Amino acid sequence: MIRLLKPLTYYEQKYGTCRYGLNKLYLMMEKQHNRGQEGAGIACVNLFAPVGEEYMFRERAEGKDAITEVFKSLTPNPSPKGRGAGACEVSSTVRGWEGAQLFMGHLRYSTTGKSGLTYVHPFLRRNNWRAKNLCLCGNFNMTNIDEVFAFLTEQGQSPRIYGDSYITLELMGHRLDREVERLFVEAKEKKELQGQEITQYIDNHVDMANVLRTTMPHFDGGYVMCGLTGSGEMFAVRDPWGIRPAFWYQDEEVMVLASERPVIQTTFDLTADDIHELLPGQSLIVRKSGERVLEQILPAQELSACSFERIYFSRGSDRDIYMERKQLGEQLTPAIMRAIDNDVTHTVFSYIPNTAEVAFYGMTDGIRRLNHDVRIEKVVWKDIKLRTFITEGAERNDLAAHVYDITYGSLQPFEDNLVIIDDSIVRGTTLKESIFKILDRLHPKKIVMVSSSPQIRYPDYYGIDMSRLEELCAFRAAIALIKERGMQHLIAETYQACKREEGRRNSEDIGFAFNHVRNIYAPFTVDEINRKIVEMLRPEGMQSPVELVYQSIEGLHHACPHHPGDWYFTGHYPTPGGIRMVNQAFVNYVEQTLKMQL
């Protein structure tokens, strides 16, 4: 988000363009652009558009080139004075994107499995009255959207789409309507204003803190929610557990906010210390006047900042994240040395591109500190072009097996171990269908597959799309061990306990809900599950021995002390909604399994 704090003519005179805000928004979006993007969208508000003229704009596009497509559509508006000096003065009072002072952009990475332009942020709620227009985007997953939907329908509303983005938009829009109506009564009855004077009074006095205080308590989940109103309010609010991150910066020219600190640093040439983090439960509001307000909307809860943001989600160019990822790699040195019997001389070290690269540097630093020379090779290459053509079924599996390629001759067959690090092992599908098969062609003496994160045992309901337990290789391994050892009663007992939790949905004791799925892992050690994962992921015909080395929970918290949110690994969900959803996921798994057996 960007809010210009000076007249547009200031930026034209200093930077030579009317599009200063748009250009900075474009840079911020490209700097936060990662592979896998499904779409992009932007919105802006022109504070000085005359009554009757368009003042709020939005453009969205799908696909990997969505950012380029969106900004290409923003062609310069014709100006009576041409495109030279004075163009900002005209456009700022007449028309279009170039007259805007508030900008908001969003990159979509699916967290629901749904796709299409309908699901690309920002979302827009239109009204003839400027103050009732609301544009919303964010980084969020809500775990209790069914309850919020019920709340809206009980009041007689009929949301068009059942999804957290649209339900959030409708609830917040409903509260914005109430705020505007409050101001209407105040302007007409207390101030005795008339006509456009009432409208101007409303536009100048909207209190977004009121709207947020009456909206956000309804939600359970991880979020940073951002928005613009037609009257010129800009806001962002962070969940009270601090699950999702947000950073902001202000000087005399601009106020900016982004979910990653390096994006702001690079775009505006700043140091890390120039930038502030939005605190849990806090909102940043920039009023129509340009005044910045930091407001505590919800009481801060026990900090559960997402550790997976540090491991994978956020880019490694952040000063602190870079050092944390290096430490995650270095901490694995003792376990790796045991796995290769301390034979560094006959071991090649590598990584799976690209997010594990920083952890790889830490891992090799750790080996060097033991006074060993480290043999480094780029063993695995990723051919991303092939992903475009992947379809379904057997054809997809065949193509997936060729997404990765190897460097032939990078190690001595049957003599050298191969240690290869990745940031995480989630489903294990890529290892089974591709990585292990191609590494086996090199005939290593042993493959040591290293994960800089602990075993991912539970879905994340606050961000990444991992809603089915059976997709996780650690869960499948635990279930396999239960069946091998004749402990099926544990599955039945866990199912019954999860079913009992369904009755807590609207009860006062929901805060005492327990993640019963943790019982599935309780009988087994990490090493037992590791060995079963290897057995399950090992392709038929593979010759090379394989050993898995995972980060420990203790190591994770040591490397990332300020981001204790670890529910992926431990099952300790910070919110009641997360606990309820994981229990429901186990119920769904058991019932679907029984249905398939019948």
Side-chain angles (χ1 to χ4, degrees):
M1 304 180 75
I2 299 175
R3 171 64 151 90
L4 302 182
L5 301 175
K6 297 282 190 180
L8 293 186
T9 50
Y10 171 90
Y11 305 96
E12 183 184 31
Q13 292 167 7
K14 184 171 181 178
Y15 300 105
T17 177
C18 296
R19 298 169 66 92
Y20 177 81
L22 281 173
N23 291 345
K24 289 298 186 183
L25 183 66
Y26 171 76
L27 284 173
M28 291 176 74
M29 292 177 72
E30 285 290 8
K31 291 298 178 184
Q32 203 161 295
H33 182 186
N34 294 311
R35 182 174 174 272
Q37 173 203 297
E38 296 178 6
I42 65 174
C44 77
V45 174
N46 184 339
L47 294 175
F48 302 108
V51 175
E53 296 285 342
E54 185 59 79
Y55 52 89
M56 200 169 196
F57 306 87
R58 179 186 63 167
E59 291 288 340
R60 299 181 294 175
E62 292 185 85
K64 62 184 179 64
D65 298 319
I67 299 175
T68 301
E69 290 183 26
V70 165
F71 280 90
K72 273 186 177 179
S73 69
L74 309 182
T75 55
N77 291 306
S79 168
K81 296 187 179 182
R83 305 311 305 164
C88 287
E89 183 178 353
V90 174
S91 63
S92 67
T93 57
V94 177
R95 56 170 71 83
W97 290 87
E98 291 178 350
Q101 297 78 31
L102 286 74
F103 302 90
M104 183 168 70
H106 187 271
L107 303 172
R108 172 172 169 78
Y109 302 89
S110 177
T111 59
T112 62
K114 299 176 181 177
S115 61
L117 199 61
T118 302
Y119 297 99
V120 176
H121 300 215
F123 300 99
L124 185 58
R125 190 176 190 262
R126 288 288 197 181
N127 194 284
N128 282 350
W129 301 98
R130 292 182 64 137
K132 287 189 176 184
N133 284 265
L134 178 63
C135 199
L136 200 65
C137 74
N139 179 8
F140 58 86
N141 261 19
M142 304 303 184
T143 63
N144 67 330
I145 205 63
D146 51 347
E147 295 176 15
V148 181
F149 183 85
F151 173 77
L152 289 172
T153 55
E154 285 170 3
Q155 298 179 68
Q157 296 191 56
S158 300
R160 294 186 301 111
I161 297 176
Y162 187 88
D164 58 359
S165 300
Y166 275 92
I167 300 300
T168 302
L169 179 70
E170 289 304 321
L171 178 57
M172 190 173 294
H174 170 65
R175 300 313 311 175
L176 181 60
D177 289 346
R178 300 290 82 78
E179 170 68 8
V180 171
E181 289 159 10
R182 177 187 71 82
L183 291 170
F184 176 83
V185 172
E186 186 175 288
K188 188 172 184 179
E189 297 182 0
K190 295 184 179 180
K191 304 295 183 180
E192 299 182 347
L193 301 177
Q194 297 180 351
Q196 289 192 23
E197 292 178 333
I198 296 177
T199 303
Q200 292 168 1
Y201 181 85
I202 293 172
D203 290 350
N204 291 330
H205 291 84
V206 170
D207 189 344
M208 278 309 301
N210 283 344
V211 176
L212 296 175
R213 285 195 197 95
T214 54
T215 301
M216 303 319 297
H218 289 278
F219 293 111
D220 180 300
Y223 55 82
V224 170
M225 199 173 297
C226 303
L228 308 174
T229 72
S231 58
E233 301 290 309
M234 184 177 96
F235 65 90
V237 59
R238 188 181 183 190
D239 68 80
W241 297 271
I243 295 171
R244 299 267 75 87
F247 300 88
W248 61 271
Y249 166 77
Q250 182 183 6
D251 60 23
E252 62 179 12
E253 295 181 354
V254 293
M255 160 68 72
V256 296
L257 179 137
S259 60
E260 297 187 25
R261 184 169 60 180
V263 171
I264 302 176
Q265 283 184 250
T266 302
T267 303
F268 293 91
D269 191 19
L270 304 169
T271 68
D273 294 333
D274 293 327
I275 299 167
H276 309 277
E277 186 170 6
L278 193 64
L279 301 179
Q282 190 180 59
S283 70
L284 183 148
I285 299 171
V286 184
R287 294 175 174 161
K288 180 182 178 181
S289 64
E291 177 190 2
R292 183 200 78 210
V293 178
L294 290 169
E295 193 97 19
Q296 195 69 31
I297 298 300
L298 294 169
Q301 303 297 315
E302 182 178 358
L303 181 66
S304 296
C306 174
S307 58
F308 217 66
E309 289 278 359
R310 320 301 282 184
I311 297 167
Y312 174 73
F313 287 157
S314 295
R315 63 191 56 242
S317 57
D318 183 273
R319 178 191 65 188
D320 297 336
I321 293 176
Y322 184 83
M323 298 307 298
E324 289 169 12
R325 289 184 184 175
K326 284 193 71 175
Q327 188 168 343
L328 286 169
E330 184 172 349
Q331 288 174 171
L332 293 165
T333 301
I336 292 169
M337 293 296 290
R338 288 194 296 271
I340 62 173
D341 293 326
N342 296 302
D343 188 4
V344 178
T345 302
H346 295 97
T347 301
V348 170
F349 295 85
S350 191
Y351 63 93
I352 297 180
N354 283 321
T355 52
E357 184 176 2
V358 178
F360 169 77
Y361 295 147
M363 176 183 70
T364 53
D365 284 351
I367 302 295
R368 290 190 185 97
R369 288 193 174 93
L370 299 176
N371 295 317
H372 291 290
D373 291 330
V374 182
R375 294 171 58 194
I376 295 172
E377 301 288 352
K378 188 171 177 64
V379 176
V380 180
W381 300 76
K382 197 167 192 177
D383 191 347
I384 62 173
K385 298 187 295 298
L386 285 174
R387 295 186 67 87
T388 306
F389 305 102
I390 292 176
T391 54
E392 296 179 355
E395 181 182 3
R396 182 193 186 281
N397 289 339
D398 181 60
L399 287 170
H402 296 85
V403 168
Y404 289 91
D405 206 347
I406 53 171
T407 304
Y408 293 96
S410 54
L411 54 80
Q412 288 295 319
F414 307 107
E415 294 184 14
D416 289 338
N417 301 308
L418 175 60
V419 174
I420 191 158
I421 190 169
D422 199 352
D423 52 70
S424 59
I425 301 171
V426 184
R427 297 170 177 86
T429 307
T430 303
L431 289 179
K432 184 178 180 67
E433 299 295 337
S434 181
I435 298 292
F436 282 161
K437 287 181 179 179
I438 63 171
L439 293 181
D440 196 42
R441 297 176 196 166
L442 297 174
H443 304 295
K445 180 182 177 182
K446 182 180 186 180
I447 297 172
V448 180
M449 190 71 213
V450 182
S451 170
S452 66
S453 73
Q455 291 176 353
I456 295 178
R457 298 182 169 191
Y458 305 91
D460 176 28
Y461 299 109
Y462 309 123
I464 193 173
D465 183 14
M466 290 191 304
S467 58
R468 298 174 59 194
L469 275 167
E470 59 268 32
E471 292 179 350
L472 307 178
C473 61
F475 178 79
R476 297 198 308 272
I479 292 294
L481 288 170
I482 287 172
K483 292 179 179 179
E484 283 180 8
R485 301 182 185 184
M487 301 168 61
Q488 286 88 336
H489 64 90
L490 183 59
I491 297 176
E493 292 167 1
T494 302
Y495 171 77
Q496 292 299 327
C498 291
K499 287 290 287 185
R500 288 194 294 271
E501 292 292 345
E502 289 181 339
R504 296 179 184 266
R505 178 173 297 273
N506 295 310
S507 65
E508 293 181 358
D509 61 351
I510 192 170
F512 298 98
F514 180 78
N515 176 5
H516 297 284
V517 185
R518 298 183 69 222
N519 296 333
I520 295 296
Y521 296 98
F524 312 114
T525 66
V526 170
D527 287 341
E528 286 176 311
I529 294 176
N530 279 355
R531 289 193 291 271
K532 179 53 66 174
I533 291 174
V534 169
E535 181 183 320
M536 295 171 65
L537 298 184
R538 188 182 183 84
E540 185 177 352
M542 184 178 182
Q543 300 297 314
S544 306
V546 178
E547 182 173 342
L548 285 181
V549 172
Y550 276 97
Q551 184 69 246
S552 67
I553 299 297
E554 295 76 18
L556 170 71
H557 291 311
H558 181 71
C560 310
H562 305 299
H563 292 76
D566 61 3
W567 54 89
Y568 315 86
F569 317 114
T570 65
H572 294 307
Y573 291 89
T575 77
I579 297 172
R580 185 171 63 234
M581 291 188 75
V582 72
N583 286 328
Q584 186 61 53
F586 189 79
V587 169
N588 295 343
Y589 162 73
V590 172
E591 293 179 352
Q592 185 63 31
T593 302
L594 291 174
K595 184 178 179 181
M596 292 173 64
Q597 291 173 350
L598 294 174

